Amino acid sequence: MYSKELLKGTLKTIILKLLSENGRMYGYQITQKVKEITEGKINLTEGALYPALHKLEADGLLMTEKEVVGNRVRKYYKLTQTGNSKATEMVDELKQFIETLKAIMNVAPQNLSWSV
Amino acid sequence: MYSKELLKGTLKTIILKLLSENGRMYGYQITQKVKEITEGKINLTEGALYPALHKLEADGLLMTEKEVVGNRVRKYYKLTQTGNSKATEMVDELKQFIETLKAIMNVAPQNLSWSV
DNA sequence: AATGTATACATAATTTTCTTATGTATATAA
DNA sequence: TTATATACATAAGAAAATTATGTATACATT
């Protein structure tokens, strides 16, 4: 498990990315999918996930469908049209940010600018 | 410029990494160095940087040296021994986290598990 | 002389976004 | 009946940023 604070700022992008691939998903399914893909290294907590989903819905990026499975109500989320383009945008930005971060993390140790 | 929220959670690691390479740096220099390495894509604000530096010092990861340059006092930060090992640790964790994020961002579109 | 920009530090108010804890409820296995 | 898994939700609190502001020096431009 990673230090929790690394996840900050990336949660919404992760949600949008998963929905853009899977069409529709419900909350618990998202937590399980993330656990699966990351081999348990990222564990989405409900206290982070549900408020994020509600925020994305309130912002018009997601829409919901309720479905009764067994004796329970599941709430499926899927991207709206706006959400779809926003997903592409945010995923692209995150990918670029990742490259930028790598640039920082891999700068050569010591300043070699004086060497010939 | 990236959406600001992406930086969340990575600032301290960036600071520690830069200090582990450059020996010692002062605040303003750190902002300029980040701007340079990232080609302006990441812009550290003072409101984020200085509190982070103070926190790292309070936690014993950084120590300071004041130096008068011209007519101004510069405050140089450098890693303590604890800070040094912590830097390595946090950089490693961030690198792994980056790989995990990439795994999420690059999962194949659509679920192909039914295909032979 | 005044204005703007760069350098250099700092902090306060506010907002965002998490963590942690808690609550409700069904289903199943031990 | 107890624990675990499934499934949702929210409230209290903490952490970490943004935005705004303040101080001060130095230099270039108007």
Side-chain angles (χ1 to χ4, degrees):
Chain A
M1 263 286 290
Y2 295 119
S3 134
K4 312 260 183 169
E5 49 179 39
L6 285 178
L7 195 61
K8 289 192 188 221
T10 59
L11 177 56
K12 282 181 192 163
T13 309
I14 290 173
I15 292 172
L16 294 177
K17 174 65 178 174
L18 289 181
L19 289 174
S20 78
E21 277 156 21
N22 297 285
R24 60 172 210 168
M25 300 178 86
Y26 54 98
Y28 185 75
Q29 187 184 9
I30 293 175
T31 65
Q32 298 309 300
K33 191 71 182 176
V34 169
K35 196 179 286 182
E36 178 199 325
I37 297 174
T38 68
E39 293 162 348
K41 289 173 203 155
I42 293 180
N43 187 38
L44 296 192
T45 56
E46 292 142 302
L49 179 66
Y50 291 113
L53 286 170
H54 299 163
K55 181 73 166 37
L56 289 169
E57 189 184 6
D59 289 348
L61 305 185
L62 300 184
M63 50 195 278
T64 56
E65 291 164 1
K66 286 187 183 175
E67 206 165 290
V68 178
V69 179
N71 236 330
R72 272 183 222 143
V73 177
R74 259 188 209 159
K75 203 162 155 188
Y76 278 96
Y77 289 86
K78 62 178 184 182
L79 295 173
T80 60
Q81 201 153 24
T82 311
N84 198 55
S85 32
K86 194 75 183 169
T88 306
E89 199 182 295
M90 286 174 71
V91 168
D92 284 348
E93 193 181 37
L94 181 53
K95 282 183 181 175
Q96 282 178 51
F97 181 72
I98 287 172
E99 291 311 309
T100 302
L101 260 191
K102 281 175 75 170
I104 299 178
M105 291 304 122
N106 293 319
V107 261
Q110 310 308 327
N111 177 7
L112 301 176
S113 60
W114 52 266
S115 65
V116 184
Chain B
M1 263 286 289
Y2 295 121
S3 137
K4 312 260 182 168
E5 50 179 38
L6 285 177
L7 196 63
K8 291 187 189 225
T10 59
L11 177 56
K12 282 181 192 163
T13 310
I14 290 173
I15 292 172
L16 294 177
K17 174 65 179 174
L18 289 180
L19 289 174
S20 77
E21 277 155 22
N22 296 285
R24 60 172 210 169
M25 301 179 85
Y26 55 97
Y28 186 75
Q29 187 184 10
I30 293 175
T31 66
Q32 298 308 301
K33 190 71 181 175
V34 167
K35 197 179 285 182
E36 178 199 325
I37 297 176
T38 69
E39 294 162 349
K41 287 173 206 155
I42 294 180
N43 188 38
L44 294 193
T45 56
E46 293 143 300
L49 179 67
Y50 291 112
L53 286 170
H54 299 162
K55 180 74 167 36
L56 289 168
E57 188 184 5
D59 289 349
L61 305 185
L62 300 184
M63 50 196 279
T64 56
E65 291 164 1
K66 286 188 185 176
E67 205 165 290
V68 179
V69 179
N71 236 332
R72 272 183 224 144
V73 178
R74 258 187 211 162
K75 204 163 156 188
Y76 278 96
Y77 289 87
K78 62 177 184 183
L79 295 174
T80 60
Q81 201 153 25
T82 311
N84 199 53
S85 33
K86 195 73 183 170
T88 306
E89 198 182 295
M90 286 174 71
V91 168
D92 284 349
E93 192 181 37
L94 182 52
K95 283 183 181 175
Q96 281 178 51
F97 182 72
I98 287 172
E99 292 310 311
T100 302
L101 261 191
K102 281 175 75 171
I104 299 178
M105 291 303 122
N106 293 319
V107 258
Q110 309 310 325
N111 178 6
L112 301 176
S113 60
W114 52 265
S115 65
V116 185

